[in-house]
Amino acid sequence: MSLHSSLLTPNSVSCLYSKSKIGTVSVGSRVRASASDVPDFLSADWLESRRKRPNGPRLNFSAEEAVQYQLDALKYNDQPRPDYGIEVMYRFAGFDPFERSTYFGPFFDLGQFERFRRIFHHSTYRVLLGHKQRKILSSLFVEEIYIVTAAKMCLYNGKQNRFKQRVWIQGSRPEEEEIFQFTMVQRIGGLWDGYWLTESLLDDGDAFSGGLAY
């Protein structure tokens, strides 16, 4: 993916303090180390656990590629281990784990991965797991004004990129199909500066009509 690491122009920033530039490391970079390279203060199984960590957002992903990557993970959800695809989705999720989220539409407490996982298995979202086919119905880029108030002694008048994509999904079960909408947001500042994260994944229908004990 090619994108600009900064979404603000020089004329759009008025600050009372200066900020130092922080280098960015690709999350998707592969670990190249042997057991002897693991520092003494880390556990003996650190390297192996690092290799098993699910892939997530990458700075070189475009918005479309980020959506595609997540859908591919769900299509092969149980490879290389059960619910690996859902783990990938959780790493892309842009919500605060300490606050209730509208990631699925209604307000849910998704701070624990198990709750996030259950929604994919016990609602219409299960259509995504191991799905057979999919088709992009529409895509839309939206630029929104992004403002940080004087609370941080700095005023930004910049733009935040947002991307929406509606996708038709045919599930693995007979006559199983749904339409979902991804909303991706490109983060400004902080650890995820420039990365596309998933703000919401919504079912066009009533995903929780039968209730949900999550």
Side-chain angles (χ1 to χ4, degrees), residues 144-162:
E144 297 180 345
I145 298 300
Y146 179 83
I147 297 176
V148 175
T149 64
K152 295 192 181 216
M153 301 181 66
C154 185
L155 179 63
Y156 294 84
N157 290 316
K159 292 180 179 179
Q160 176 174 273
N161 292 325
R162 189 179 300 268

Side-chain angles (χ1 to χ4, degrees), residues 6 12 18 33 38-39 71 95 104 109 124 132-133 135 202 206:
S6 173
S12 66
S18 61
V38 178
L71 286 171
F95 56 75
F104 293 109
D109 179 358
T124 57
K132 297 299 185 183
Q133 296 185 43
K135 179 180 180 182
L202 306 179
D206 189 356

Side-chain angles (χ1 to χ4, degrees), residues 6-26:
S6 173
L7 302 179
L8 307 179
T9 62
N11 296 330
S12 66
V13 180
S14 174
C15 292
L16 300 180
Y17 64 94
S18 61
K19 298 177 68 176
S20 59
K21 186 175 181 181
I22 301 175
T24 312
V25 178
S26 173

Side-chain angles (χ1 to χ4, degrees), residues 52-210:
K52 291 181 177 179
R53 183 178 300 177
N55 289 322
R58 298 178 185 175
L59 188 57
N60 65 334
F61 274 169
S62 67
E64 295 100 323
E65 288 170 336
V67 172
Q68 173 80 16
Y69 189 85
Q70 292 177 86
L71 286 171
D72 283 345
L74 291 174
K75 182 173 183 177
Y76 304 103
N77 180 55
D78 292 329
Q79 300 179 20
R81 60 177 177 271
D83 287 336
Y84 176 85
I86 300 178
E87 292 181 41
V88 171
M89 296 295 293
Y90 199 66
R91 290 185 66 84
F92 270 93
F95 56 75
D96 184 339
F98 298 103
E99 297 182 1
R100 295 174 71 83
S101 169
T102 56
Y103 180 96
F104 293 109
F107 276 99
F108 287 134
D109 179 358
L110 301 175
Q112 298 179 21
F113 171 71
E114 180 60 22
R115 291 179 173 178
F116 186 84
R117 188 191 72 82
R118 286 177 187 171
I119 290 178
F120 276 97
H121 280 281
H122 299 289
S123 66
T124 57
Y125 286 86
R126 67 177 179 269
V127 177
L128 290 159
L129 305 180
H131 63 271
K132 297 299 185 183
Q133 296 185 43
R134 62 177 182 257
K135 179 180 180 182
I136 297 174
L137 301 180
S138 63
S139 301
L140 175 68
F141 273 100
V142 181
E143 285 187 342
E144 297 180 345
I145 298 300
Y146 179 83
I147 297 176
V148 175
T149 64
K152 295 192 181 216
M153 301 181 66
C154 185
L155 179 63
Y156 294 84
N157 290 316
K159 292 180 179 179
Q160 176 174 273
N161 292 325
R162 189 179 300 268
F163 175 73
K164 294 178 179 289
Q165 188 169 83
R166 295 177 70 247
V167 185
W168 170 82
I169 301 291
Q170 181 182 26
S172 58
R173 303 170 185 83
E175 301 181 5
E176 186 180 54
E177 60 181 69
E178 295 286 341
I179 296 175
F180 296 92
Q181 177 177 281
F182 279 84
T183 298
M184 309 294 296
V185 173
Q186 192 175 41
R187 284 290 179 86
I188 299 176
L191 179 64
W192 296 104
D193 184 34
Y195 288 79
W196 287 96
L197 302 181
T198 309
E199 181 179 75
S200 65
L201 174 58
L202 306 179
D203 186 344
D204 261 16
D206 189 356
F208 308 106
S209 58

